[in-house]
Amino acid sequence: MSEASATASPPAPPPVVPGNSTLRELVDLLSSMRFAIAVFVVIIIASITGTVVRQHDPLPNYVNQFGPFWAELFGKVDLYTIYGAWWFLLLLAFLVTSTSLCIARNAPKIVHDLRTYKEHVREQSLQAHHHKAIGHLALAPEAALTQVSTVLDHFGWKAKAQVRDKGVMVAARKGMANKIGYLSAHSAIVLICLGGLSDGDIVVKAMMWLQGKSVYTGAGLVSDVKPEHRLSPSNPSFRGSLPVPEGGRAATAIINMPDGVVLQDLPFDVELKKFIVEYYSTGMPKLFASDIAIRDHATGQVTEHTVKVNAPVIHDGIAIYQSSFDDGGSHLSLTALPLRSAQAQPFKVEGAVGGSTVLGNDTEKLQLEFSGLRVINVENLSGTKDEGSATDVRKVDLADTLHQHLGSGAKSSTPKQLHNVGPSFSYRLRDAAGQAREYNNYMVPIELDGQRVFLAGVRDSPNDSFRYLRIPVDENMSMDGWLRMRQHLIDPVMREGAAHQYAIAATPANNPGMTKQLEETAKRALALFAGVEGVKPGDKLPADGWGGLAALSQFVDSEVPQAERQRVSEVLLRILNGSLYELYKLGRERANLPPPAADEATQAFMTQAVLSLSDSMYYPAPVLLRLDDFKQIQESVFQVARAPGQKLVYLGAILLIIGVFAMLYIKERRVWIWLEPTPGGETRVRMALSSTRDSPDTAAVFTELSSALQLKE
């Protein structure tokens, strides 16, 4: 008999399957190791894909990310809901079936091996083993058997003896947990897959089918959703989100589905008493937790808990996790500042985050949608200040500062300096055609490049970065000075007055005849800059903007010969800057304010004001919204889950750890010792050892055992 036949039984035949050979071959394929490994690899690839691609996002997000063609293609193969896709569930079912068949095929053989010591092997077969020895013991057979039993017991071997006519066969075994490891690891795969299936979308879809529920695709309040879109509180398995504002309560979770949502009624209410959030110096949240009160619908009992990240609260078999936080409807007090009318006055606007209102008149209406409030904004901001410039309030260094306007307020070329720049709020303005732009304005001025400015951001789509209009502050740290200039710039009377004052101040004493010409040039420069050149009183200004420095540049390119453009541009800019300064002085005089001081602060203000006024001509909104006050209301977003399969997964994880360690670190070994009496009264000994995996320590174990038996050649 060979070593293989002595140490391992032949493979168990596959289960007998009634029917033709095709069915038997199918069963053989499903129960084969190669099929299970192939399915397992595909599941791993799909799981990695589901981790990389965000799941259950709205379809427009995927269109923006992948484009229309690929977004539609990926949607058809359920790439956005991989863990609930029919093909993924089918793969899990195949893996469960394959692994279960493997267990069913090999379990009888393993159980048989666990129960037998294989003491029936022939003594001649021991010679076929790699590890073998022959010797004598100067003991009678009975004493030799006792010594062998003592040695085996000392080294932890479990032994069984079979008495034969010519001697005694002692069969011993060690490390049988290796066999149990196989069953444990394969059973773990089955349990984990079953747990995943029971906690996945398949149960929710099954309950929807059994209860006759459908997906809700509309919008509005949760309380207004009809019963046909709500699942019963007795639903055995679900996982959804539960947003609760401070001071509010909720009892309905939202389960996202590929084409809408399904509402899951809970057997209790969750009231958010207080939301707690702490931040790192970088502005990232360090800790957020929620003090909640749970009121059970059945008993009416109220219990209070604190939910933290990775520290859920369990109530009635439902786990409540701290998932994230959001704005819960903070109240905003705003002032709308008109930009396109010299006569329009600022007006107050009240609203709450998540709400909306209407701005405008009968001819032009915009839907104002309040989308967010951020109380803490930590930005990388730093600024520098030029020290050597002369104090000339009419001078604007366009070459050095033109690149600064329209930049992101959160970017700087200097080393990082993190600062909390205060609250900001975001909103959308939607026109009659349904098109919307997003705006983001800061509440307090921010110091950039040595100049304190208000930032008013705008972007055309969520994929774009915000472009910021930088509005300089006046001596009172407000934007009122700039706003007066902006409003007076589109007032023809104020422009004429500013042009007249500039012409008088700039006319040389030895050439008084230049006053009229300078005045006309200043009026035209201001009109071009204001975007009203050629526009009659009462005409509607272009909605997409016109004017600013770009209008002056286009005028020079179209009206001036190329050889003269550089000189004319410099003269025109000098006239424009001087006229704007006179406009600023006239505005302060009308507001009963003292004249501006001829100092460096005024020069810095005018430099930024010219650039900001130029950019404001292309600001795509008729009003600028300023945040005056707010009352913050936080919202905690919980994840609620009833996961009966979780226990199966935990049990499977434990079994998998046990199985892997048993198969990798425990070696099954068997030893046979044949004791045969000799004519001289001694005992002839023949010994052999086998192991599931041969390694250097196997030879050491055999040598140690031989030495302990004190065999003699």
Side-chain angles (χ1 to χ4, degrees):
M1 181 181 292
S2 66
E3 177 181 356
S5 63
T7 59
S9 301
V16 178
V17 181
N20 55 34
S21 60
T22 302
L23 183 58
R24 286 196 297 270
E25 291 176 359
L26 178 61
V27 173
D28 289 341
L29 174 64
L30 290 176
S31 60
S32 65
M33 182 63 69
R34 65 179 185 275
F35 179 81
I37 292 176
V39 173
F40 193 63
V41 168
V42 176
I43 290 176
I44 291 175
I45 295 174
S47 300
I48 294 174
T49 304
T51 303
V52 174
V53 179
R54 288 178 58 89
Q55 303 290 287
H56 297 287
D57 269 9
L59 183 59
N61 291 7
Y62 298 117
V63 174
N64 292 333
Q65 183 177 1
F66 302 116
F69 174 78
W70 291 108
E72 183 180 0
L73 180 62
F74 292 160
K76 289 182 178 179
V77 297
D78 296 325
L79 202 63
Y80 312 136
T81 55
I82 284 181
Y83 305 115
W86 65 268
W87 53 267
F88 186 82
L89 299 178
L90 184 62
L91 286 174
L92 289 179
F94 272 129
L95 184 60
V96 170
T97 302
S98 178
T99 310
S100 300
L101 288 175
C102 287
I103 295 174
R105 166 179 282 186
N106 293 284
K109 172 181 175 294
I110 293 174
V111 172
H112 179 266
D113 285 346
L114 291 174
R115 297 175 60 182
T116 182
Y117 287 79
K118 298 187 178 180
E119 70 277 10
H120 300 288
V121 301
R122 295 184 300 150
E123 59 273 19
Q124 292 85 354
S125 67
L126 302 185
Q127 284 295 109
H129 289 271
H130 177 69
H131 301 285
K132 58 189 176 182
I134 299 177
H136 293 79
L137 288 176
L139 297 172
E142 292 80 6
L145 178 61
T146 301
Q147 179 176 326
V148 168
S149 299
T150 302
V151 170
L152 291 174
D153 185 65
H154 174 74
F155 287 103
W157 292 81
K158 302 297 182 183
K160 183 177 182 180
Q162 183 186 56
V163 179
R164 302 179 184 177
D165 294 339
K166 296 181 179 181
V168 178
M169 177 65 74
V170 179
R173 65 186 188 184
K174 192 177 184 180
M176 299 307 293
N178 178 271
K179 298 285 188 183
I180 299 176
Y182 175 89
L183 293 176
S184 178
H186 285 69
S187 300
I189 294 175
V190 175
L191 290 176
I192 292 173
C193 290
L194 290 177
L197 287 171
S198 61
D199 288 347
D201 291 343
I202 187 172
V203 177
V204 174
K205 292 178 180 179
M207 295 304 297
M208 290 175 61
W209 179 74
L210 291 173
Q211 299 177 11
K213 307 297 183 179
S214 60
V215 173
Y216 179 70
T217 58
L221 299 175
V222 170
S223 57
D224 297 335
V225 179
K226 296 181 179 180
E228 56 262 30
H229 308 299
R230 296 175 176 268
L231 292 173
S232 167
S234 60
N235 186 7
S237 176
F238 61 85
R239 186 180 300 272
S241 60
L242 182 70
V244 186
E246 273 186 321
R249 64 175 59 195
T252 304
I254 302 171
I255 302 176
N256 289 318
M257 304 296 285
D259 50 350
V261 298
V262 177
L263 301 186
Q264 173 64 59
D265 290 327
L266 302 175
F268 53 81
D269 292 341
V270 176
E271 180 182 359
L272 180 59
K273 295 286 189 180
K274 183 180 180 181
F275 179 77
I276 306 164
V277 60
E278 298 177 4
Y279 295 90
Y280 290 105
S281 60
T282 60
M284 295 295 293
K286 177 172 61 175
L287 165 71
F288 50 96
S290 302
D291 293 334
I292 64 171
I294 300 176
R295 183 176 63 86
D296 193 278
H297 292 171
T299 63
Q301 182 180 3
V302 178
T303 56
E304 295 188 355
H305 307 272
T306 298
V307 184
K308 299 180 181 179
V309 177
N310 299 325
V313 171
I314 311 296
H315 184 85
D316 197 18
I318 299 176
I320 305 173
Y321 299 89
Q322 180 69 64
S323 176
S324 61
F325 61 93
D326 206 344
D327 194 286
S330 298
H331 184 78
L332 306 178
S333 297
L334 310 172
T335 297
L337 307 168
L339 297 179
R340 297 180 182 172
S341 172
Q343 290 75 35
Q345 297 298 316
F347 56 93
K348 296 293 183 180
V349 178
E350 302 287 331
V353 174
S356 63
T357 187
V358 177
L359 294 179
N361 48 38
D362 294 336
T363 59
E364 183 180 10
K365 287 187 177 180
L366 294 173
Q367 181 84 3
L368 171 60
E369 302 171 357
F370 305 97
S371 56
L373 170 71
R374 291 186 62 181
V375 177
I376 295 179
N377 287 278
V378 177
E379 303 282 8
N380 174 26
L381 302 175
S382 60
T384 59
K385 187 176 181 181
D386 294 332
E387 298 294 341
S389 57
T391 305
D392 181 0
V393 296
R394 292 180 174 84
K395 179 180 178 183
V396 179
D397 190 357
L398 296 178
D400 292 339
T401 58
L402 188 59
H403 70 280
Q404 297 173 2
H405 69 128
L406 285 181
S408 170
K411 295 180 180 178
S412 176
S413 59
T414 55
K416 287 185 178 180
Q417 294 184 17
L418 299 178
H419 300 281
N420 176 20
V421 297
S424 67
F425 72 105
S426 56
Y427 59 95
R428 288 184 293 270
L429 288 177
R430 192 177 302 275
D431 59 23
Q435 300 296 319
R437 285 188 176 94
E438 187 176 1
Y439 299 82
N440 184 61
N441 297 351
Y442 286 82
M443 183 178 184
V444 297
I446 301 168
E447 184 171 341
L448 293 175
D449 304 315
Q451 175 74 31
R452 300 193 69 86
V453 294
F454 288 93
L455 296 180
V458 59
R459 62 182 179 184
D460 297 326
S461 72
N463 292 328
D464 299 334
S465 298
F466 279 105
R467 295 169 287 120
Y468 284 93
L469 174 65
R470 299 184 180 189
I471 302 174
V473 302
D474 56 21
E475 68 274 15
N476 298 319
M477 287 297 154
S478 74
M479 64 174 69
D480 292 343
W482 181 87
L483 287 170
R484 281 195 302 269
M485 288 186 67
R486 180 65 176 81
Q487 199 165 26
H488 293 160
L489 185 61
I490 56 178
D491 186 340
V493 176
M494 293 297 292
R495 288 200 307 274
E496 288 183 6
H500 180 70
Q501 292 294 335
Y502 169 75
I504 293 175
T507 299
N510 60 354
N511 191 6
M514 287 185 61
T515 303
K516 186 63 175 177
Q517 182 181 355
L518 283 174
E519 183 175 348
E520 291 299 322
T521 304
K523 286 170 58 177
R524 187 165 192 183
L526 287 174
L528 284 168
F529 189 76
V532 295
E533 173 72 9
V535 179
K536 298 178 182 179
D539 287 353
K540 184 179 178 182
L541 296 177
D544 56 351
W546 168 248
L549 297 173
L552 267 70
S553 176
Q554 184 173 341
F555 168 78
V556 172
D557 291 342
S558 61
E559 301 292 335
V560 179
Q562 186 173 1
E564 298 292 323
R565 288 176 186 174
Q566 179 67 29
R567 184 184 63 82
V568 172
S569 295
E570 293 176 357
V571 172
L572 197 59
L573 283 174
R574 188 163 56 250
I575 294 174
L576 172 67
N577 296 330
S579 302
L580 288 174
Y581 180 61
E582 296 297 336
L583 183 69
Y584 178 51
K585 289 199 304 182
L586 284 176
R588 292 180 64 88
E589 181 181 340
R590 176 178 286 191
N592 297 320
L593 294 175
D599 56 12
E600 187 176 351
T602 303
Q603 178 194 341
F605 171 82
M606 287 301 302
T607 299
Q608 183 61 48
V610 172
L611 298 174
S612 183
L613 288 171
S614 176
D615 291 342
S616 70
M617 300 303 163
Y618 299 89
Y619 189 73
V623 294
L624 176 69
L625 295 183
R626 182 181 65 197
L627 179 61
D628 298 326
D629 195 10
F630 63 88
K631 180 181 179 182
Q632 186 184 25
I633 300 176
Q634 297 273 28
E635 179 181 77
S636 191
V637 180
F638 302 104
Q639 186 182 79
V640 291
R642 177 180 282 158
Q646 189 178 52
K647 296 179 180 178
L648 291 178
V649 173
Y650 288 157
L651 177 60
I654 294 173
L655 291 178
L656 185 60
I657 294 173
I658 294 174
V660 170
F661 271 85
M663 290 190 294
L664 292 180
Y665 298 103
I666 299 178
K667 298 176 182 178
E668 179 194 359
R669 294 190 175 103
R670 291 182 182 269
V671 66
W672 292 269
I673 303 175
W674 169 250
L675 303 176
E676 183 180 2
T678 63
E682 295 182 347
T683 303
R684 185 170 180 264
V685 179
R686 179 177 292 172
M687 185 174 68
L689 181 143
S690 70
S691 177
T692 52
R693 295 190 309 275
D694 202 1
S695 59
D697 65 322
T698 303
V701 169
F702 184 75
T703 302
E704 182 182 46
L705 193 58
S706 301
S707 301
L709 291 174
Q710 299 179 357
L711 295 180
K712 298 179 181 179
E713 293 295 336

